[in-house]
Amino acid sequence: MATDARPEERSGSRSRPGRPGLTREPFPAATLTADHDQAQPLAEPVTMRLDGRVALVTGAGSPDGIGYATARRLADLGARVAIVSTTRRIHERAGELGVTGFVADLTDESEVGALADAVTEQLGDVEVLVNNAGLASRASPEVLRPVAQLSYEEWRGEIDRNLTTAFLCSRAFISGMAERGWGRIVNLAATAGPVNALPTEAAYAAAKAGVVGLTRALAMEMIADGVTVNAVAPGTIYTAASTWSEIKQGLGTPVGRPGTPDEVAAAIAFLCSPAASYITGQMLVVDGGNSVREAQFR
């Protein structure tokens, strides 16, 4: 069943002028020094550890995908990890990682609500959310078709799989994060859309550009509540789903090879950690320098 995860205004908090629904707690008096009235920064431990925190990673059904690598890294950092995908193979992945697996269609509002209830009941309140679901796989390949030939159903499918999933999952957990005053959300974008694009990938590119827009808007909505929201944009990453054409693209990057799921997972894990407390609303590109190269040959 679906849950209403819209943020509630907390008693005792001050509304921001001109920003209905957004609140900011008064700056803690403990941050004022005896020598002056200027507020000093709150010092959150600069650590990568996530001991005891509950983390949910979506789209982790592939054993060599970014979601799986991220779940493994977060578990290594001490988090209690839940993973979810659309098929029962997620239980195999959960057994391999020693984490908890769930099956859900994250484009379905009611199934996302049921997932949120189940994760909370079994593991506790989710404090770290990685919206990885939607990246192309053999089970759900990208739609590669020019706009003139793209059907409305194909367009909606790409938007739902790559953008709506991030919206529904974020909405399901942000109220709880805000109430507890701490949270991390990392959305998986891509270089396709926010940075560049290729012919025949308009729906995918639009969805991933939308992920960055959602990330930035949500970051500003949650900034007063101790919740950071960031995006990671991978370039060409070598997985079992990679085509020979994609591998060749990776060989043409300045680094000279495709990236690996573990390299993307390392970036995600940093943004999930207490060490990234002063980073929000950002997009971190992981593409071997490909997006900053002026030309392939000079």
Side-chain angles (χ1 to χ4, degrees):
M1 58 182 179
T3 57
D4 185 357
R6 290 172 294 180
E8 296 181 358
E9 188 168 350
R10 293 174 287 166
S11 60
S13 61
R14 300 186 306 189
S15 295
R16 286 190 211 171
R19 300 292 301 279
L22 293 181
T23 62
R24 181 184 294 278
E25 296 292 341
F27 207 88
T31 63
L32 302 180
T33 68
D35 297 329
H36 53 78
D37 291 335
Q38 292 183 337
Q40 300 300 306
L42 289 173
E44 187 171 358
V46 181
T47 177
M48 289 287 292
R49 298 297 303 176
L50 290 165
D51 297 296
R53 299 201 182 272
V54 176
L56 172 63
V57 181
T58 69
S62 172
D64 61 358
I66 292 171
Y68 185 88
T70 299
R72 179 173 56 207
R73 189 169 288 264
L74 295 182
D76 288 345
L77 292 173
R80 301 174 62 199
V81 178
I83 56 177
V84 59
S85 76
T86 58
T87 66
R88 295 187 62 81
R89 68 174 180 168
I90 197 66
H91 297 306
E92 297 177 27
R93 305 290 84 80
E96 294 161 3
L97 293 171
V99 302
T100 305
F102 297 89
V103 177
D105 178 358
L106 300 182
T107 66
D108 186 308
E109 183 178 19
S110 63
E111 290 200 30
V112 172
L115 170 69
D117 290 342
V119 174
T120 301
E121 180 180 350
Q122 294 190 37
L123 296 179
D125 296 319
V126 171
E127 298 168 283
V128 175
L129 172 64
V130 179
N131 284 313
N132 173 71
L135 293 178
S137 67
R138 285 191 177 125
S140 54
E142 294 176 49
V143 175
L144 300 177
R145 205 184 311 282
V147 170
Q149 301 173 19
L150 193 65
S151 72
Y152 179 66
E153 290 73 20
E154 288 170 333
W155 168 267
R156 282 297 303 271
E158 285 289 286
I159 297 298
D160 284 348
R161 185 159 56 91
N162 290 286
L163 178 57
T164 303
T165 52
F167 159 69
L168 290 175
C169 289
S170 296
R171 191 183 64 172
F173 295 105
I174 53 177
S175 288
M177 293 181 183
E179 289 170 3
R180 293 183 298 274
W182 197 94
R184 298 286 187 267
I185 299 176
V186 179
N187 297 320
L188 265 291
T191 52
V195 179
N196 50 41
L198 293 170
T200 75
E201 63 173 14
Y204 180 80
K208 289 305 183 181
V211 167
V212 177
L214 173 65
T215 297
R216 291 171 175 160
L218 188 56
M220 294 300 96
E221 292 179 5
M222 304 302 294
I223 200 166
D225 296 302
V227 179
T228 66
V229 188
N230 292 288
V232 170
T236 302
I237 306 300
Y238 180 73
T239 70
S242 298
T243 65
W244 173 238
S245 175
E246 291 170 336
I247 294 171
K248 286 175 64 178
Q249 290 175 19
L251 295 174
T253 65
V255 172
R257 62 172 177 81
T260 68
D262 280 333
E263 289 172 319
V264 181
I268 294 169
F270 168 67
L271 292 173
C272 289
S273 74
S277 57
Y278 202 58
I279 304 172
T280 195
Q282 303 303 309
M283 181 183 73
L284 176 58
V285 175
V286 183
D287 72 345
N290 203 48
S291 59
V292 299
R293 178 173 52 188
E294 184 176 356
Q296 187 167 359
F297 302 106
R298 295 187 66 86

